[in-house]
Amino acid sequence: MKTPLWILLSTLLGTRFAIGKLTPSHIKKVTTIPTVPNKFIVEVESPVDIPTKRSLSPHEELYASLKKRRIGFEVNKEYDSQGLFVGAALTLTDAKDAAALLNTTGVKAIRPVQTFKRPVYALTLAHLD
């Protein structure tokens, strides 16, 4: 059964135009990967991206801002790779403070810490050859 060429073209073009109207904001961000409660990776502005010279590091500015707003937190690890990633792994006392954390000056993004199962390596007879 042969389909006329114009039907195929119109279908392909229609699909192309429909896809072209989609933006990333149309895609729901849903994951089934389990997360660690109240733990977040926080990305902050790199000192290179901050237009004025400041006496505090981006990390210290973040912590001072959180303390000023009475957001309870614990620093698990700091990351300082200029040009790649500047941020920290934080545990918040209350997960509801995540929205306030995102609205903190100098914060680029927050991401929940996700857990993954360690892969199990199974030795088989094929590995013995």
Side-chain angles (χ1 to χ4, degrees):
M1 179 169 153
K2 292 186 177 182
T3 306
L5 182 60
W6 65 272
I7 293 176
L8 287 174
L9 284 175
S10 64
T11 303
L12 289 173
L13 289 174
T15 304
R16 167 69 179 111
F17 290 125
I19 291 172
K21 293 178 184 176
L22 288 178
T23 63
S25 62
H26 288 96
I27 300 170
K28 287 186 178 183
K29 296 177 184 175
V30 178
T31 181
T32 58
I33 299 172
T35 59
V36 180
N38 300 356
K39 290 196 177 202
F40 299 91
I41 301 294
V42 182
E43 184 176 6
V44 296
E45 296 286 343
S46 172
V48 182
D49 299 331
I50 301 172
T52 59
K53 294 278 184 183
R54 299 180 185 182
S55 60
L56 298 175
S57 74
H59 298 97
E60 291 168 330
E61 286 188 32
L62 171 66
Y63 307 148
S65 177
L66 294 177
K67 287 176 185 175
K68 184 179 176 182
R69 295 163 68 188
R70 298 177 191 242
I71 295 174
F73 68 96
E74 178 186 338
V75 179
N76 303 109
K77 184 162 178 70
E78 287 186 346
Y79 305 95
D80 193 7
S81 297
Q82 300 299 322
L84 183 62
F85 184 84
V86 178
L90 300 179
T91 302
L92 299 180
T93 305
D94 187 353
K96 294 177 184 175
D97 288 332
L101 179 60
L102 184 59
N103 294 324
T104 302
T105 303
V107 171
K108 281 183 165 182
I110 64 170
R111 297 169 184 91
V113 173
Q114 299 176 334
T115 60
F116 297 89
K117 290 184 181 179
R118 181 179 295 183
V120 178
Y121 181 74
L123 183 62
T124 63
L125 291 177
H127 291 100
L128 299 176
D129 291 336

